């Protein structure tokens, strides 16, 4: 602990010394608008990275002035009523500068506000962005369902999420890591309604500024209003597929020159089902021994509350202090019915079983964030600090009743029948995180980004199972488990960025020290791992001309096993299947390379290659317990995995009223390793997925939408996935009272569910999953408030106009 605080102290002293050494001379930039109608024109000043530095308004004679500027390249944009009327060429500031008079036509000055909706899919700064708020098809969905239909995303029968063929992703909410994966993460995302989402960012090759965790990052950003005055919205959505779904949300924001207050609340009630058909065959030395044919139906009803409140306080022109508090409560009561037919080595019936479950689950999440931003100079230099505390807790009361039958359908007498298993599962996870980031802009378009971060995680999972077959509870020590996981990660990074007229480079290096302790209290087994690794990154960008740009980047990433993946407990799905952690699981490391060619910052083609060592893979392992074959879902390390990909983004304006946004992803993944006595070498295939989003402007406030997705067959290590496709339609009407009515019909043909085959030497499994994806939804949203951007502060900077990253 002392070393950590010493490390942070040294970093802070170094930063303060750097800031003190920068006794940068400051200059002014002034000018005049040559027009009669110039009152309250908005003048925006941007730095060499096209980031907003300051905003001023003209006086009654059209004069304006920007003060306290450091030397460098700038540009001006002039707005009237929200419409851009003027954009300057590059302005190089080396002293006090007065611009020539700027002439604007009266027609431009009297321009009306132009409203342009963001496309559903866009690319910015190396990210693919899904603008969920602008998608009609996303109406009434959960965050999980929006992700499920996103370009390049696949979700298997165990709820593992992959992006462009690569698994082990890092999923964030407003830039904060979610310490979950698989079904736990899926259930968490199923509780977040799409009405709470602003956008989803897909960062396939993050720089050293980001945490090194995950092959790629999916950042789900929630809504936060930044308009001045008091503004808000109320929305409700009602949908039905096989079962009913209802989402409701309320958002309010109040902002003035000094304070920005925000609050939001949403409630969702969603009934959901998962029907899983399994055909499992077991072999020994190549000979067929036994088979299970299973029909499992699981139903859940989510009752989810999400609330968040926060404040940004603009202390002065240079300092902003903020905090936010969030709470999530998700209750769901899964009930299931599993019918299993047992076949002997002659494919004849050897009996059957039926397992029913009736569980009670409650997941809670409390988060607190305190942040500060110091604006250092007018070029965009700033120092930000974030302190976070996050708690996840869950309780699960499980209740399994299994009846076993002989060939004639009579109850078997070989064991307690029915067998009654009860589980009392509790978990608590605390995360403490402190980070500080400095962005320092120097003369001649040099920039330094550096920062430190330390985080502590403690997970305490206590699982108790009881045999209740005789009417009383008898502790089953073979299934009971208590596991405590502790993790400390200390990190520091630096990015050096240089911009020339056409060429830009970004070199980065991140170092992370990881300390992990897993304490298996039940068996008195302690596993410790300590390691320090370097994560370099680089970006090279070159403008071929005004329209064409090429970019080359690479980064090294790490995926650490989650506490659940390391915990060797048994989590029963039914009496033939359970999940178990692997305390010997090693982290995987990945080298990512990307080359992007863009035209007019509108059309993008990205070539990708990645190589992963110790690839963490979800596998199935048959084993014998109490004389019966059961299947264990676990994680193992493959030797390596390689990925080659081509991603294309091509928006097309077909007509004035028809906009088409297309995304195509072609890739080849290959896998090498030996798991469950099954050796594979470079096993994989060429595959692709296509997405087209079409928006139709029908006039009088009416808009329609048609979305199509196709995902070709894929070989993922031991899994062979069949093709999937879906078609979604929607329509909306915007009314003059700032309200919107939306209709959507998702997965019209009920074709977006996975089917696959897992092949091992001693085990072959075919599965078909059916979820409640064909849903009709009607929603209504009413927006209220001033709906004004407000007059910018005379001395204000970019802080007053843009959202603070990490304070959502």
């Amino acid at each position: 602990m002392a070393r950590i605080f010493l490390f942070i102290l040294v970093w802070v002293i170094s930063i303060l010394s750097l800031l003190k050494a920068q006794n940068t001379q400051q200059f002014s930039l002034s000018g005049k608008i040559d027009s009669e109608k110039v009152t309250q024109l908005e003048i925006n000043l941007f730095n060499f990275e096209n980031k907003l530095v300051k905003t001023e308004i003209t006086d009654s004679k059209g004069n304006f002035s920007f003060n306290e500027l450091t030397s460098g390249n700038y540009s001006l944009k002039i707005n009237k009523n929200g419409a851009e009327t003027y954009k300057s060429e590059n302005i190089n500031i080396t002293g006090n500068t007065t611009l020539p008079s700027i002439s604007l036509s009266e027609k431009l000055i009297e321009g009306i506000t132009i409203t342009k909706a963001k496309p559903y899919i866009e690319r910015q700064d190396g990210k693919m962005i899904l603008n969920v708020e602008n998608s009609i098809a996303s109406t009434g969905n959960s965050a999980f369902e929006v992700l499920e239909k996103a370009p390049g995303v696949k979700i298997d029968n165990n709820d593992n999420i992959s992006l462009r063929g690569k698994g082990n992703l890092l999923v964030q909410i407003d830039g904060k890591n979610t310490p979950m994966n698989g079904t736990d993460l899926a259930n968490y995302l199923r509780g977040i309604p799409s009405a709470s989402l602003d956008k989803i960012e897909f960062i396939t090759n993050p720089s050293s500024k980001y945490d090194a965790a995950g092959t790629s990052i999916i950042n789900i950003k929630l809504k936060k209003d930044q308009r001045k005055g008091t503004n808000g919205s109320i929305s409700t959505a009602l949908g039905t597929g096989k079962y009913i779904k209802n989402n409701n949300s309320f958002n309010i924001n109040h902002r003035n020159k000094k304070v920005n207050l925000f609050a939001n609340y949403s409630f969702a009630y969603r009934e959901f089902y998962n029907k899983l058909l399994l055909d499992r065959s077991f072999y020994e030395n190549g000979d067929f021994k036994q088979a299970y044919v299973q029909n499992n139906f699981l139903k859940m009803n989510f009752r989810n509350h999400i609330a968040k409140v926060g404040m940004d306080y603009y202390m002065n022109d240079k300092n902003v202090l903020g905090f936010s508090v969030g709470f999530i409560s998700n209750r769901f009561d899964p009930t299931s019915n599993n019918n299993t037919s047992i076949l002997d080595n002659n494919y004849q019936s050897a009996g059957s079983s039926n397992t029913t479950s009736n569980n009670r689950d409650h997941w809670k999440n409390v988060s607190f964030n305190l942040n500060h931003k110091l604006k250092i100079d007018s070029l965009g230099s700033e120092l930000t600090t974030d302190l976070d505390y996050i708690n996840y807790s869950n309780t699960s009361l499980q209740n399994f009743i299994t009846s076993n039958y002989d060939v004639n359908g009579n109850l078997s007498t070989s064991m307690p029948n029915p067998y009654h298993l009860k589980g009392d599962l509790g978990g608590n996870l605390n995360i403490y995180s402190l980070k500080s980031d400095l962005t320092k802009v120097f003369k001649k378009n040099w920039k330094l980004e550096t920062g430190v971060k330390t985080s502590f995680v403690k997970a305490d999972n206590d699982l108790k199972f009881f045999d209740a077959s005789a009417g009383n509870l008898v502790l089953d020590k073979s299934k009971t488990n208590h596991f405590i996981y502790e993790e400390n990660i200390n990190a520091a990074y630096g990015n050096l960025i240089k911009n020339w007229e056409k060429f830009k480079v970004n070199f980065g290096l991140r170092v992370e020290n990881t300390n992990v302790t897993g304490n298996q209290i039940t068996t008195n087994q302690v596993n410790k791992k300590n390691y320090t690794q370097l994560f370099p990154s680089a970006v090279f960008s070159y403008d071929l001309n005004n329209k064409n740009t090429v970019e080359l980047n690479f980064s090294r990433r790490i995926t650490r096993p989650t506490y659940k993946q390391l915990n060797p407990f048994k989590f029963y799905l039914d009496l033939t299947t359970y999940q178990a952690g692997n305390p010997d699981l090693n982290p995987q490391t990945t080298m990512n390379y990307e080359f992007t060619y863009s035209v007019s910052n509108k059309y993008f083609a990205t070539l990708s290659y990645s190589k992963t060592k110790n690839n963490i893979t979800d596998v199935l392992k048959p084993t014998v317990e109490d004389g019966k074959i059961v299947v264990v879902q676990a994680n193992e390390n493959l030797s390596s995995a390689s990925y080659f990909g081509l991603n294309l983004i091509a928006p097309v304006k077909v007509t004035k009223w028809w906009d088409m946004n297309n995304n195509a992803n072609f890739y080849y993944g290959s896998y090498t390793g030996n798991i469950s006595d099954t050796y594979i070498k470079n096993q994989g295939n060429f595959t692709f997925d296509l997405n087209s989003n079409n928006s139709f402007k029908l006039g009088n406030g009416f808009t329609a939408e048609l979305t199509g997705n196709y995902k070709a067959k894929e070989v993922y290590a031991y899994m062979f996935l069949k093709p999937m496709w879906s078609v979604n339609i929607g329509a909306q009407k915007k009314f003059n009272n700032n309200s919107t009515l939306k209709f959507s019909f998702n997965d019209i043909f009920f074709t977006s569910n996975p089917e696959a085959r897992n092949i091992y030497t001693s085990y072959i499994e075919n599965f078909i999953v059916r979820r409640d994806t064909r849903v009709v939804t009607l929603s209504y949203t009413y927006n209220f408030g001033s709906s004004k951007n407000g007059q910018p502060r005379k001395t204000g900077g970019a802080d007053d106009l843009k959202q603070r990253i990490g304070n959502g």
Side-chain angles (χ1 to χ4, degrees):
M1 182 70 71
R3 288 183 300 170
I4 296 169
F5 285 107
L6 179 61
F7 171 68
I8 295 176
L9 179 62
V10 170
W11 186 84
V12 171
I13 293 174
S14 301
I15 295 306
L16 293 175
S17 300
L18 174 64
L19 297 179
K20 185 177 180 180
Q22 295 299 313
N23 187 18
T24 307
Q25 190 174 357
Q26 296 183 328
F27 308 106
S28 65
L29 173 66
S30 59
K32 182 177 182 180
I33 308 299
D34 185 13
S35 178
E36 295 180 0
K37 302 178 180 180
V38 294
T39 304
Q40 302 293 296
L41 273 181
E42 181 184 299
I43 317 294
N44 295 316
L45 182 68
F46 293 83
N47 64 14
F48 70 95
E49 289 189 313
N50 202 32
K51 291 185 178 180
L52 183 63
V53 174
K54 281 191 175 185
T55 298
E56 298 289 351
I57 56 175
T58 56
D59 62 17
S60 59
K61 296 182 180 181
N63 297 308
F64 65 89
S65 179
F66 294 96
N67 301 312
E68 299 181 353
L69 301 180
T70 55
S71 61
N73 292 319
Y74 299 85
S75 63
L76 288 176
K77 291 181 182 179
I78 301 176
N79 293 345
K80 178 66 176 180
N81 295 331
E84 183 179 307
T85 59
Y86 172 83
K87 182 177 180 180
S88 76
E89 298 294 331
N90 183 64
I91 304 170
N92 183 254
I93 303 295
T94 57
N96 294 331
T97 304
T98 301
L99 297 175
S101 180
I102 300 173
S103 298
L104 297 178
S105 68
E106 301 306 316
K107 184 176 181 180
L108 285 175
I109 291 296
E110 295 173 351
I112 61 173
T113 301
I114 299 174
T115 303
K116 183 179 180 181
K118 293 181 180 179
Y120 178 56
I121 301 173
E122 63 177 332
R123 183 180 172 92
Q124 294 180 3
D125 299 328
K127 307 173 186 177
M128 186 183 80
I129 299 173
L130 214 63
N131 291 301
V132 179
E133 190 175 17
N134 297 329
S135 169
I136 301 173
S138 298
T139 300
N141 288 338
S142 66
F144 178 83
E145 291 163 325
V146 173
L147 266 182
E148 200 170 25
K149 295 191 287 285
V153 173
K154 282 189 174 71
I155 300 177
D156 66 17
N157 62 310
N158 296 320
D159 292 330
N160 295 306
I161 303 171
S162 62
L163 175 63
R164 301 183 191 174
K166 293 188 286 187
N168 299 308
L169 310 171
L170 174 63
V171 177
Q172 299 179 330
I173 307 293
D174 283 333
K176 303 295 187 297
N177 300 345
T178 56
M180 295 174 284
N181 66 344
T183 302
D184 291 344
L185 176 61
N187 288 336
Y188 180 75
L189 296 177
R190 285 186 178 112
I192 301 177
S194 62
S196 300
L197 306 184
D198 177 26
K199 65 181 70 172
I200 301 177
E201 298 175 338
F202 300 88
I203 311 171
T204 55
N205 208 1
S207 73
S208 299
K209 188 173 183 178
Y210 294 89
D211 284 352
T215 55
S216 301
I217 296 175
I218 297 179
N219 183 26
I220 300 172
K221 304 194 74 171
L222 305 180
K223 291 180 180 177
K224 179 182 175 184
D225 202 329
Q226 286 289 309
R227 294 171 296 176
K228 286 193 173 179
T230 302
N231 300 278
S233 66
I234 302 173
S235 69
T236 184
L238 181 64
T240 182
K242 185 178 179 67
Y243 298 109
I244 195 170
K245 303 159 200 318
N246 173 241
N247 295 332
N248 307 276
S249 66
F250 172 74
N251 300 275
I252 191 167
N253 182 85
H254 175 76
R255 182 172 180 178
N256 56 34
K257 291 183 178 180
K258 282 289 186 182
V259 175
N260 179 43
L261 297 169
F262 59 91
N264 56 65
Y265 168 76
S266 68
F267 170 73
Y269 176 82
R270 304 175 62 82
E271 295 183 0
F272 167 85
Y273 78 88
N274 191 90
K275 184 176 183 180
L276 178 61
L277 303 176
L278 290 167
D279 187 340
R280 295 169 159 178
S281 297
F282 303 93
Y283 297 83
E284 185 177 322
N285 298 323
D287 297 325
F288 173 75
K289 288 297 181 181
Q290 197 176 35
Y292 293 159
V293 179
Q294 297 179 301
N295 186 336
N296 186 70
F297 186 86
L298 173 71
K299 180 185 176 183
M300 289 186 281
N301 55 344
F302 290 91
R303 301 177 302 284
N304 182 267
H305 300 266
I306 302 177
K308 192 170 188 177
V309 296
M311 180 184 73
D312 297 323
Y313 174 58
Y314 299 86
M315 304 166 64
N316 50 44
D317 294 341
K318 295 184 179 296
N319 291 275
V320 182
L321 184 65
F323 80 90
S324 65
V325 179
F327 175 75
I328 296 177
S329 172
N330 189 15
R331 292 181 181 269
F332 52 99
D333 303 326
T335 59
S336 69
N337 185 63
N338 176 281
N339 290 304
T340 300
S341 297
I342 304 172
L343 303 178
D344 61 20
N345 59 352
N346 294 314
Y347 290 92
Q348 300 299 314
S349 175
S352 63
S353 68
N354 172 261
T355 300
T356 60
S357 70
N358 185 7
N359 304 337
R360 298 289 182 269
D361 289 77
H362 187 195
W363 292 68
K364 291 184 290 185
N365 169 219
V366 178
S367 60
F368 175 79
N369 170 262
L370 179 65
N371 58 80
H372 173 258
K373 175 188 265 188
L374 169 65
K375 178 186 170 188
I376 299 170
D377 57 40
S378 60
L379 284 178
S381 300
E382 62 184 26
L383 178 66
T384 62
T385 303
D386 281 86
L387 175 65
D388 286 280
Y389 167 71
I390 304 173
N391 172 263
Y392 293 89
S393 63
N394 66 281
T395 58
S396 178
L397 299 177
Q398 300 188 351
N399 189 33
F400 297 96
I401 299 177
T402 299
S403 299
N404 294 285
Y405 302 90
D406 60 22
V407 177
N408 299 317
N410 300 315
L411 280 173
S412 173
T413 59
S414 60
M415 61 179 292
N417 205 3
Y419 172 62
H420 193 177
L421 179 68
K422 283 181 173 286
D424 185 354
L425 287 64
N428 192 64
L429 174 67
N430 288 295
I431 301 174
Y432 305 86
S433 174
L434 173 64
K435 72 170 186 174
S436 188
D437 300 281
L438 170 71
T439 299
K440 177 58 184 175
V441 182
F442 299 92
K443 296 179 180 179
K444 299 182 179 180
N445 300 335
W446 284 93
K447 184 169 78 169
L448 172 68
E449 295 177 338
T450 183
V452 294
K453 179 180 179 180
T454 183
S455 63
F456 297 87
V457 175
K458 183 176 182 179
D460 189 338
N461 288 271
D462 193 3
L463 294 84
K464 296 183 177 67
F465 284 95
F466 303 89
D467 185 343
S469 303
N472 58 325
L473 298 181
V474 179
L475 184 68
D476 189 335
K477 294 183 179 180
S478 67
K479 300 178 176 64
T480 294
N481 178 276
H482 190 187
F483 183 72
I484 296 178
Y485 173 84
E486 295 179 311
E487 177 186 87
N488 163 233
I489 299 176
N490 306 297
Y493 76 90
N495 287 333
L496 189 60
I497 303 167
K498 168 63 176 174
N499 276 17
W500 290 271
E501 184 177 353
K502 291 187 175 183
F503 188 52
K504 178 180 178 180
V505 296
N506 181 337
F507 292 101
L509 180 64
R510 186 180 187 92
V511 57
E512 291 193 350
N513 167 253
T514 305
N515 306 278
V516 173
T517 300
N519 186 0
Q520 184 70 26
I521 295 178
T522 307
T523 60
N524 197 26
Q525 179 183 356
V526 177
N527 291 286
K528 292 187 177 183
K529 292 185 179 181
N530 304 280
Y531 50 90
T532 300
Q533 293 189 328
L534 299 176
F535 302 95
S537 68
V539 180
F540 306 90
S541 177
Y542 182 70
D543 296 329
L544 301 174
N545 50 46
N546 291 335
K547 291 187 176 181
N548 299 275
T549 300
V550 293
E551 180 182 285
L552 175 66
N553 62 54
F554 78 88
S555 67
R556 185 175 187 264
R557 310 285 298 165
I558 186 171
T559 301
R560 302 175 182 88
T562 67
Y563 67 91
K564 186 174 182 179
Q565 290 174 331
L566 293 170
N567 182 8
F569 74 95
K570 298 176 181 179
F571 184 88
Y572 282 82
L573 305 177
D574 58 65
L575 289 188
T576 66
T577 311
Y578 65 82
Q579 295 175 340
N582 177 7
D584 297 321
L585 197 62
N586 292 313
Q588 71 171 41
T589 55
T590 304
M591 286 298 301
N592 292 320
Y593 304 86
E594 285 189 353
F595 175 79
T596 299
Y597 180 79
S598 64
V599 179
S600 301
N601 201 31
K602 183 177 181 183
Y603 305 97
F604 298 91
T606 301
L607 284 169
S608 304
Y609 169 72
S610 68
K611 182 76 171 181
T612 300
K613 295 182 179 180
N614 293 324
N615 188 74
I616 298 175
T617 307
D618 197 31
V619 297
L620 301 170
K621 302 168 63 176
T623 186
V624 177
E625 291 188 358
D626 299 327
K628 289 191 174 184
I629 300 177
V630 297
V631 177
V632 183
Q633 294 181 5
N635 290 99
E636 299 281 353
N637 290 112
L638 282 175
S639 298
S640 64
S642 298
Y643 167 88
F644 306 84
L646 171 63
N647 181 253
L648 304 173
I649 297 177
V652 178
K653 192 167 187 63
V654 183
T655 67
K656 291 183 178 180
W657 49 270
W658 179 4
D659 290 304
M660 179 188 297
N661 204 310
N662 304 299
N663 181 280
N665 187 45
F666 306 91
Y667 60 94
Y668 178 85
S670 65
Y671 306 87
T672 298
N674 189 352
I675 294 175
S676 293
D677 296 322
T678 307
Y679 178 71
I680 56 175
K681 183 176 181 180
N682 297 327
Q683 181 162 286
N685 74 319
F686 169 80
T687 186
F688 61 92
D689 56 75
L690 308 173
N691 175 277
S692 181
N693 182 273
N694 299 266
S695 179
F696 308 94
K697 299 175 184 177
L698 307 179
N700 295 322
F702 284 97
T703 305
E705 187 175 275
L706 171 66
T707 303
N709 299 277
Y710 179 80
K711 299 177 181 180
K713 65 180 181 180
E714 180 182 0
V715 177
Y716 184 82
Y718 299 94
M719 184 183 297
F720 296 75
L721 284 156
K722 293 184 178 181
M724 294 186 296
W725 60 278
S726 67
V727 174
N728 313 309
I729 60 173
Q732 73 173 16
K733 163 66 176 177
K734 290 188 175 181
F735 299 95
N736 292 331
N737 66 344
N738 292 324
S739 65
T740 304
L741 183 66
K742 293 182 180 181
F743 164 84
S744 67
F745 188 3
N746 287 325
D747 196 12
I748 297 173
F749 302 104
F750 197 49
T751 51
S752 66
N753 287 294
E755 299 181 19
R757 192 178 205 195
N758 288 291
I759 301 178
Y760 298 87
T761 299
S762 59
Y763 177 66
I764 296 178
E765 175 189 278
N766 295 286
F767 70 80
I768 299 174
V769 178
R770 293 290 180 264
R771 299 187 179 111
D772 205 4
T773 57
R774 182 162 53 187
V775 179
V776 177
T777 304
L778 188 67
S779 76
Y780 180 76
T781 301
Y782 174 69
N783 298 297
F784 61 89
S786 61
S787 299
K788 297 178 181 179
N789 290 328
Q791 179 177 314
R793 292 185 288 145
K794 285 289 290 182
T795 57
D799 300 350
D800 205 18
L801 296 173
K802 63 183 181 180
Q803 179 174 335
R804 298 189 64 248
I805 298 176
N807 189 36

